[in-house]
Amino acid sequence: MSMTDVAIIAAPRDGEFVNAVRELLRRAGIAATATQSMPAQLPPKVVVLWSADLERTRSVDAQSLVGLWSEGRLAMVRRDQTALPLGMRDLPSLPPETTPDGIRNALGAVGPKVLRSKPESEPATTKPAEAPKAKSPVRPIIGAVLAVMLVGGGAYYYLTAEQRAKQAELTARLEAAAKASEDLNKARQARVEAQKKLAEARAAELEAIKRGDKEAVVKLGQERKRAEAETAKQVEIVQQSESARQKTIDDARKAQEAAKHAKAE
C-alpha cells in the first residue's frame, strides 16, 4: 500500500460521513485522506461525494474525473439529487443511500486491483450502482465515445492546451447530444397525446352526426379541426427534433475524431 490509497473529495457538510468511510477503510488497512478539491498528487483511487454543496465550490474538474474514470480509478457517489458534472451524466454512480461499506465495495470493484478485494463472507449493505437510463439510442453512443475519448488511458490533466480544448469541445458535444435525445422523446410524447385527442375528437363528432345533433356537429367539428392542426404541429416538431438530434450525434463523432487526432499528435 502507498502512504495514501484513497482520496475522498467531499463538501464540509459531509464531514461526518467521510469520517465514517475513512474509519472503515482504516480498519481494512486502506489509508484514506479527505479533501474539498482535486488533490495535486492523485492516489490510486478517488471517491467523489457529489452534492449541491460540492457543485457550488467548483473545485472538481469534470474533465479530470472523466480521465480517472477511463483509468478505472474513480467512484462517484451522489449525496443528493444534484445532477452529476457536465460530461459525467451518462456514467454509473452510486445512489444517495449508499453506506460507507458500499463505498468500500465499489473501491474494490473499480478498475485494476489496486485495493484488496472484500472478503466473500462480508455481506453487502448497499444497492448496486444505478445504471444510466436508456432513454434513446444516443445513450450507448455517448457511453462508447466517453470510453475511448482519452485514447491510451491518458488522463486529462496530462494533455496539452490544444488537447484540452478538443476534450472540452467533445464533452460539450456529448451533452448536446444527450439533451437533443431528451427533447426528441418529449416531442414524441406530445405527438402521441395530440394524436389521442384527435382520435377522441373525431369519435365525438361522428357520434354527434349519428345522433343528428347539428349544433353539436358544428362545435365538435371545430374541435376536431383544432386537434388536427395541433397534431400536424407536433408531427413537424418531431421531425425537426429528429434532425437536430442526428446533427448533434454527427457533431459529437466529429469532435471525438478531432480529440483522438490531437492526442495521437
Side-chain angles (χ1 to χ4, degrees):
M1 291 291 176
S2 59
M3 291 298 293
T4 299
D5 302 305
V6 178
I8 304 174
I9 304 175
R13 184 190 65 175
D14 290 316
E16 184 175 346
F17 184 78
V18 170
N19 290 336
V21 174
R22 292 183 64 189
E23 177 59 23
L24 180 64
L25 295 178
R26 185 191 65 78
R27 292 200 300 267
I30 301 170
T33 59
T35 177
Q36 298 178 27
S37 60
M38 190 75 71
Q41 297 295 327
L42 292 171
K45 300 280 185 171
V46 175
V47 176
V48 176
L49 302 183
W50 187 251
S51 65
D53 288 347
L54 188 62
E55 181 184 42
R56 281 193 289 269
T57 65
R58 299 184 179 276
S59 59
V60 178
D61 180 4
Q63 295 286 1
S64 296
L65 294 181
V66 172
L68 289 169
W69 172 82
S70 71
E71 297 171 345
R73 298 167 56 196
L74 174 68
M76 288 291 292
V77 184
R78 290 178 290 109
R79 295 292 289 164
D80 52 32
Q81 298 304 319
T82 303
L84 292 177
L86 201 67
M88 297 289 294
R89 294 171 187 172
D90 289 285
L91 301 181
S93 63
L94 294 171
E97 61 268 22
T98 300
T99 64
D101 191 64
I103 294 176
R104 169 68 185 90
N105 291 343
L107 287 173
V110 174
K113 294 182 179 179
V114 179
L115 302 179
R116 292 200 299 266
S117 61
K118 181 181 170 74
E120 294 182 0
S121 60
E122 188 175 353
T125 58
T126 187
K127 297 180 181 179
E130 292 182 349
K133 295 181 180 179
K135 293 184 178 179
S136 74
V138 77
R139 294 294 181 179
I141 295 173
I142 294 175
V145 173
L146 281 171
V148 298
M149 66 184 290
L150 298 176
V151 181
Y156 176 79
Y157 34 84
Y158 294 129
L159 303 181
T160 65
E162 180 183 359
Q163 291 166 345
R164 285 173 181 258
K166 296 295 184 183
Q167 296 290 0
E169 180 182 359
L170 175 55
T171 299
R173 297 296 186 186
L174 292 171
E175 286 294 326
K179 184 178 184 304
S181 178
E182 293 171 358
D183 290 343
L184 175 58
N185 285 337
K186 292 178 181 178
R188 284 172 173 169
Q189 291 172 1
R191 181 183 61 184
V192 169
E193 290 298 320
Q195 291 171 337
K196 180 180 177 181
K197 291 180 179 179
L198 174 57
E200 293 173 350
R202 284 174 173 170
E205 182 183 18
L206 181 59
E207 184 63 27
I209 292 174
K210 290 180 179 180
R211 294 196 312 268
D213 189 340
K214 295 182 180 180
E215 184 177 349
V217 169
V218 173
K219 180 180 179 181
L220 293 172
Q222 293 173 345
E223 292 182 2
R224 185 254 307 160
K225 290 179 180 179
R226 285 195 292 268
E228 287 176 342
E230 180 63 22
T231 298
K233 174 184 174 182
Q234 294 302 329
V235 169
E236 184 178 357
I237 290 176
V238 168
Q239 292 174 345
Q240 293 174 350
S241 297
E242 287 174 341
S243 298
R245 186 192 67 158
Q246 187 58 50
K247 183 178 184 305
T248 60
I249 293 175
D250 294 340
D251 289 343
R253 285 172 175 157
K254 291 178 183 178
Q256 176 199 4
E257 292 302 319
K260 289 170 65 176
H261 180 70
K263 183 69 189 294
E265 289 184 347

